[in-house]
Amino acid sequence: MLEPTIVIAAASLVGLCVTAFALLKGWQGWLALKQREIDNTPREIEGGVGVGGARIEIADLKERIKKLEAIASGVDL
């Protein structure tokens, strides 16, 4: 009949395929989760600027305010 080596090899191959399929389904689920997270996050603030861009813009405005206050008080930068 069948040799034990062939049976072990076939069972190992089936086990490997089942494991690969389960990992693939898990990976696809994780990607779908991340896609939903990206879709649900607000992308834009005023003027089409993203959240990161808005933070940079706010920091720039704060720096400009400090410079204007220094000019108003007569301090030379």
Side-chain angles (χ1 to χ4, degrees):
M1 284 196 104
L2 295 175
E3 290 189 33
T5 308
I6 294 175
V7 173
I8 292 172
S12 297
L13 184 60
V14 168
L16 180 65
C17 289
V18 168
T19 303
F21 181 74
L23 288 172
L24 179 63
K25 290 300 273 183
W27 175 252
Q28 289 174 345
W30 185 81
L31 288 176
L33 173 69
K34 291 301 176 182
Q35 184 64 41
R36 277 182 284 173
E37 286 179 0
I38 290 171
D39 291 341
N40 290 335
T41 55
R43 289 196 183 128
E44 296 182 0
I45 302 180
E46 292 180 12
V49 178
V51 174
R55 289 181 182 159
I56 293 171
E57 196 170 323
I58 289 172
D60 184 46
L61 289 173
K62 286 181 180 179
E63 183 179 333
R64 290 174 66 191
I65 289 171
K66 286 181 184 178
K67 287 180 181 179
L68 289 173
E69 287 175 346
I71 291 171
S73 65
V75 177
D76 188 22
L77 298 177

